[in-house]
């Protein structure tokens, strides 16, 4: 069982990356081989609309033709059994890097033929971990689940496997709030969430890794 995690946060040791590592630990606990990729280390773009993946009689259907730093990552993903994705929510959606990654991964596997939703021949399970500064009640008011989480889950099911997601809300954003102009936040509340709820989210991520590695 091969599990690859894709970190769409610019930070390698903060909330999103921490939860991805916990999910990988869960997968490792049931014998999976794991790897993590940090998208912000790579030089790549989103889909360039070359349509090479839609040409007739191509040899590598489902594989993006663009040659850049993401190419090798996409090949690893398509050869894996489980894909874990992590992204903070920036301005109501995933980061630009995750959006570009999803464009390149999913459009090349989307079928334009009638009666076929996908050209992917394998079965790739997926789990999406979202982190956000806003509390859950705000998340519900702006309908993140309806507008972001569920659509991404539906798209990832193009890859033939089960897909799930988890949310870590009201996260601790800075290492020291006193250094930043951020008076709208209750620092004691943020610290309490970090101390009491974030460990629960870490356990949820670990459990997701176990569950998907067994799928």
């Amino acid at each position: 069982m091969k599990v690859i995690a894709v970190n769409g946060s610019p930070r390698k040791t903060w909330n999103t990356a921490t939860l991805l590592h916990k999910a990988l630990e869960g997968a490792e606990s049931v014998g999976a081989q794991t790897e993590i990729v940090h998208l912000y280390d790579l030089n790549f773009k989103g889909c360039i609309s070359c349509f090479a993946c839609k040409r007739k009689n191509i040899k590598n259907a489902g594989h993006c033709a663009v040659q850049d730093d993401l190419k090798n990552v996409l090949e690893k993903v398509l050869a894996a059994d489980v894909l874990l994705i992590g992204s903070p929510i920036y301005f109501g959606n995933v980061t630009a890097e995750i959006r570009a990654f999803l464009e390149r991964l999913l459009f090349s596997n989307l079928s334009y033929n009638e009666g076929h939703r996908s050209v992917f021949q394998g079965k790739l399970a997926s789990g999406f971990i979202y982190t956000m500064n806003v509390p859950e009640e705000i998340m519900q008011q702006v309908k993140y689940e309806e507008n972001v989480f569920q659509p991404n889950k539906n798209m990832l099911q193009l890859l033939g496997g089960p897909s799930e997601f988890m949310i870590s809300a009201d996260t601790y954003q800075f290492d020291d709030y006193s250094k930043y102009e951020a008076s709208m936040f209750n620092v004691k509340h943020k610290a309490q969430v970090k101390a009491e709820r974030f460990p629960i989210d870490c356990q949820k991520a670990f459990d997701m890794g176990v569950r998907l590695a067994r799928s």
Side-chain angles (χ1 to χ4, degrees), residues 4 6 35 37-46 64-77 97 100-101 104:
I4 185 167
V6 175
E35 179 181 358
V37 174
H38 300 284
L39 290 184
Y40 277 78
D41 286 346
L42 309 179
N43 183 15
F44 69 98
K45 297 179 180 179
C64 181
V66 177
Q67 300 292 326
D68 60 12
D69 287 357
L70 193 63
K71 177 69 173 178
N72 186 48
V73 176
L74 293 173
E75 295 303 314
K76 287 183 177 181
V77 168
E97 277 69 15
F101 165 76
R104 295 274 297 280

Side-chain angles (χ1 to χ4, degrees), residues 29-94:
S29 74
V30 292
Q33 298 177 1
T34 67
E35 179 181 358
I36 188 167
V37 174
H38 300 284
L39 290 184
Y40 277 78
D41 286 346
L42 309 179
N43 183 15
F44 69 98
K45 297 179 180 179
C47 177
I48 63 171
S49 198
C50 67
F51 294 108
C53 62
K54 300 293 179 280
R55 294 184 70 90
K56 292 183 177 181
N57 302 316
I58 59 172
K59 294 181 179 180
N60 294 311
H63 295 258
C64 181
V66 177
Q67 300 292 326
D68 60 12
D69 287 357
L70 193 63
K71 177 69 173 178
N72 186 48
V73 176
L74 293 173
E75 295 303 314
K76 287 183 177 181
V77 168
L78 294 175
D81 300 291
V82 177
L83 168 63
L84 297 169
I85 305 172
S87 178
I89 295 296
Y90 287 174
F91 287 97
N93 214 319
V94 296

